[in-house]
Amino acid sequence: MTNCSTEGVDTLTKKLDLVIYVPILVFGLALNIMALVVFCRLLRKWTESSIYMTNLALMDLLLLLQLPFKMHAAHHEWAEDKKLLCSFLESLYFVAMYGSIYTIACIALDRYFAINHPFRAKQLRSKRNALIVCVFIWLFVMGATSPIYTFRREKTGNFTCFHGFSDKGWSTALIVCLEVFGFLLPAAVLVVCSIQSIRTLKATKNSNRKKQAGVRIIYSSLAAFLVPFTPCHIAIFLQYLVRNDHILDCKKKQDIALFIQVSINIANVTCCLDALCYYFIAKEVRSTKDTLKLSISRGRTTSSSDV
């Protein structure tokens, strides 16, 4: 099946890129810049949550800035002397994507401690610790994406940036690490922490209105993570099977080629979804503080009654 062509898929995805990327770029830039202005200039006081949300906005902006290059690369081949520039842009794209994934997981973990372990949260949660975690996320994803600089060394001549990685980019070890540490691990943290937080919120004596609002926000955050990123990583795994000759049927190869392009486009929509969620996350933080105060007061009452 070496003659299997994906030219039809490439033509279709070029049109989809323009239809999807242009609105994402326009609205995403506006929303994330507004979010940064609010967090950096208008908020009276920095909190752990605002630090994480600022980091998420920076990650989203970094990803958005790569979209014009992706759109250009979809319609034009790049000269061989631009390989290093291409690898740099590809690296930034994946730094932003997986930095966002880890930041969202950290927001869920921070929320979990605030709601479920209020006394321990007072010791663990601090602006300094949140800043250290964000710096670590940047260093970790930058180091993890560094192999991208080796993916184009084997090929010569003009090339299409953001497409056509060499076989090194589809090695078993690399894909396993990507799927496990890039998606499954942070997704598991998000799901477990969200479920536990929802259970605790439902068990509190807070008003039904506040409980329902908090639960809806957590469900929305969970969906905003799983819906875009799950298809993307399923598609990466399927493409790995294609590149390593585990799938040989031409029609299946073409379907997978289309699936991976569409799913990556969908994953980029999170730049806008994250920005729209900032207000609701901030609202959740305020309601979480009420729950935290209630849990602490109940704990003190229980302690005094035991004496």
Side-chain angles (χ1 to χ4, degrees):
M1 288 293 187
T2 55
N3 294 325
C4 185
S5 173
T6 59
E7 287 184 8
V9 173
D10 294 338
T11 301
L12 178 59
T13 54
K14 286 177 183 178
K15 297 177 182 178
L16 285 175
D17 286 349
L18 290 175
V19 171
I20 296 176
Y21 284 165
V22 171
I24 291 175
L25 187 61
V26 172
F27 290 106
L29 284 174
L31 291 169
N32 282 281
I33 289 172
M34 286 173 58
L36 285 177
V37 170
V38 170
F39 295 145
C40 299
R41 298 297 298 273
L42 301 181
L43 287 182
R44 299 178 187 173
K45 182 178 168 182
W46 281 91
T47 65
E48 298 85 3
S49 297
S50 63
I51 290 173
Y52 286 125
M53 288 188 285
T54 299
N55 194 61
L56 185 58
L58 289 172
M59 291 289 185
D60 287 340
L61 276 175
L62 180 62
L63 191 146
L64 287 166
L65 292 176
Q66 310 315 308
L67 296 188
F69 297 103
K70 280 184 95 285
M71 287 188 284
H72 180 274
H75 295 83
H76 303 88
E77 286 191 338
W78 289 24
E80 187 176 357
D81 61 358
K82 290 185 171 60
K83 278 187 178 180
L84 183 59
L85 172 62
C86 174
S87 296
F88 175 68
L89 295 172
E90 289 169 340
S91 175
L92 291 181
Y93 179 80
F94 287 107
V95 163
M97 176 180 286
Y98 290 100
S100 296
I101 287 175
Y102 268 87
T103 302
I104 293 169
C106 287
I107 290 173
L109 191 62
D110 181 70
R111 176 175 55 209
Y112 165 79
F113 279 110
I115 294 175
N116 292 271
H117 303 285
F119 289 110
R120 193 174 178 186
K122 289 176 70 69
Q123 299 174 344
L124 295 176
R125 297 177 78 236
S126 70
K127 291 177 283 188
R128 179 176 175 273
N129 288 344
L131 187 60
I132 290 173
V133 169
C134 290
V135 171
F136 176 78
I137 290 172
W138 280 93
L139 295 176
F140 174 74
V141 293
M142 288 173 68
T145 57
S146 59
I148 288 176
Y149 288 92
T150 67
F151 291 170
R152 298 192 178 277
R153 290 180 181 174
E154 298 174 2
K155 296 184 178 182
T156 58
N158 292 352
F159 65 98
T160 304
C161 193
F162 293 98
H163 296 278
F165 288 145
S166 68
D167 292 338
K168 284 184 178 180
W170 297 99
S171 66
T172 301
L174 184 66
I175 296 302
V176 168
C177 289
L178 178 73
E179 296 285 351
V180 173
F181 297 104
F183 176 68
L184 292 176
L185 181 60
V189 170
L190 179 67
V191 170
V192 171
C193 290
S194 297
I195 291 173
Q196 293 297 323
S197 298
I198 288 169
R199 286 179 178 174
T200 301
L201 284 175
K202 288 184 175 180
T204 61
K205 295 181 180 179
N206 213 340
S207 67
N208 286 331
R209 187 175 177 182
K210 285 185 177 181
K211 272 196 292 190
Q212 291 173 0
V215 169
R216 280 198 301 268
I217 291 166
I218 296 175
Y219 275 131
S220 299
S221 300
L222 195 57
F225 179 92
L226 294 177
V227 171
F229 289 122
T230 303
C232 173
H233 287 84
I234 292 174
I236 290 172
F237 176 70
L238 292 175
Q239 185 67 7
Y240 157 78
L241 296 179
V242 170
R243 291 295 297 264
N244 287 273
D245 296 327
H246 297 294
I247 295 177
L248 300 175
D249 181 74
C250 183
K251 182 64 168 63
K252 289 181 180 178
K253 286 184 177 182
Q254 292 171 340
D255 291 341
I256 291 170
L258 178 60
F259 180 39
I260 194 169
Q261 293 300 324
V262 172
S263 63
I264 289 176
N265 285 346
I266 292 173
N268 292 330
V269 176
T270 56
C271 294
C272 296
L273 295 179
D274 290 340
L276 292 173
C277 287
Y278 293 144
Y279 167 75
F280 297 104
I281 293 175
K283 185 177 180 182
E284 178 199 352
V285 170
R286 290 193 293 270
S287 64
T288 298
K289 287 180 179 179
D290 295 336
T291 305
L292 179 62
K293 291 176 182 177
L294 178 63
S295 299
I296 292 174
S297 62
R298 286 171 61 189
R300 286 174 178 170
T301 303
T302 303
S303 299
S304 60
S305 62
D306 291 339
V307 176

